[in-house]
Amino acid sequence: MKDIAESVRAWHRDGRSFAVATVVRVSGSAPRGPGAALAVSADGEAVGSVSGGCVEAAVYELCRAAIGSGQALLERFGYSDEDAFAAGLTCGGVLDVFVQPVVPGSDPAIDAAIASLASGTPLALARAVAGPPDLVGAGVAVTADGHHGGLGGYAALERAVAAQARAMLDTGRTGEVVLGPAGTPCDDTGPDAATFFVEAYVPPPRMIVFGAVDFAAAVAGIGTFLGYHVTVCDARPVFATRRRFPDADEVVVDWPHRYLDTQLDRIDGRTVLCVLTHDAKFDIPLLERALRLPVRYVGAMGSRRTHLEREARLREAGLGDAEITRLRSPIGLDLGARTPEETAVSVAAEIVAHRRGGSCLPLSATAGPIHHPAGRVHGDAVQPPGRPDDPDHPDHPPVRHGLLAGARP
């Protein structure tokens, strides 16, 4: 719900009922991944998206119906050859969408999740999207040291779900968990199995741009557009100013390596580091540290000659092949970029490809699904183990427009 947080918080604060439709599973080619959400208020206002347009109208009507009935449901949408006008994904993928009505103050787990969106407190929300009828729609919200909500008479299952959700919160992951009634992991074929969709609400990932140059202003802007919390750092106060970097969340005057040393508790496996200083006295001490940290991406600007000189200095500093091969240098994809804005697009494209496992080739030159399955390489969501991603696979669950087996209102 992070994408629709502002509207949902306002509805909740005003005591207005609403419904949230969330993508909980994706197979094949689909425009949006697990966690994408569309919310509809009781008076018909809609925010967000689950498919980029393919099935929005149908999901909107499901939300309206859920508000009226007060019942949660799980719906599957896929491409229909028999009826080209049926609500489906013309890109050939399959989406499972969970629709849950919300009455402010009636569900402690949902209330806690919405409060976390306002406060920024890390929280994971686990909701039963399939399983015994009396369980579907129930949820647990966990923080680092407690949990809200519950699963009624399923005490062992509740403890297991809370533990799983807390583990996923630690790593910022979103995905499905399938458990038996005793809380033990299982497949989803048993009559008593329950499927939970866990969403981790954590602060946005960080992008730290080192070097207060013109290219940095453009990279900071596109980083903000991609949803990063952007910091620009440079040791030169005359260049590192808020006026020059209006799109950055923070502008810091400090030596890059020294600033990085102060941020070790605020960076994680989602953090992106863009080194644009193009000056060895800044670059080498910084990269010597950065390439040893468990961050997602480290890129450095410079010519190929600069890269070779930089690599030699890093080896002299004690870095080996494992660390140096992590460095994306020269930074960005080969787009023929010239301007700072074009260069920023090049850098952003490489970051997205690295995160999502893209080939960096033109789509017209490749075959297969356009959208990589979430979790396959670098995605934030996790596909259920053993579930074929290809809807044409003989073991793939059948596509139908309607309620999924095991998920009843």
Side-chain angles (χ1 to χ4, degrees), residues 47-267:
V47 293
S49 171
V50 294
S51 70
C54 302
V55 299
E56 305 299 317
V59 174
Y60 176 87
E61 293 303 327
L62 287 175
C63 288
R64 296 278 285 172
I67 294 170
S69 69
Q71 301 297 314
L73 72 152
L74 184 63
E75 188 89 0
R76 172 164 288 175
F77 295 94
Y79 181 72
S80 170
D81 288 322
E82 290 77 19
D83 183 359
F85 295 100
L89 297 171
T90 56
C91 53
V94 178
L95 288 182
D96 289 349
V97 179
F98 181 67
V99 181
Q100 182 160 28
V102 177
V103 177
S106 66
D107 187 329
I110 294 289
D111 293 343
I114 293 174
S116 82
L117 293 173
S119 66
T121 302
L123 176 144
L125 174 64
R127 290 177 287 168
V129 300
D134 61 337
L135 189 60
V136 172
V140 175
V142 303
T143 58
D145 54 6
H147 78 270
H148 308 267
L151 304 182
Y154 297 87
L157 184 57
E158 181 178 327
R159 289 192 296 271
V161 170
Q164 291 273 11
R166 189 166 288 111
M168 295 175 73
L169 176 62
D170 288 342
T171 56
R173 293 191 296 117
T174 286
E176 284 187 346
V177 173
V178 183
L179 300 172
T184 55
C186 64
D187 60 30
D188 58 359
T189 59
D192 296 324
T195 300
F196 293 85
F197 185 68
V198 182
E199 294 178 89
Y201 303 150
V202 294
R206 294 194 68 191
M207 172 186 284
I208 308 178
V209 181
F210 296 99
V213 297
D214 289 344
F215 291 98
V219 171
I222 206 165
T224 299
F225 176 75
L226 291 176
Y228 287 93
H229 178 95
V230 179
T231 301
V232 175
C233 174
D234 196 294
R236 302 164 297 178
V238 68
F239 295 113
T241 65
R242 169 59 63 184
R243 184 173 182 177
R244 296 189 69 228
F245 299 97
D247 293 325
D249 296 286
E250 299 175 288
V251 179
V252 176
V253 178
D254 202 348
W255 278 74
H257 71 279
R258 190 165 59 190
Y259 175 70
L260 185 62
D261 286 344
T262 70
Q263 299 300 298
L264 300 184
D265 61 341
R266 294 184 60 202
I267 60 177

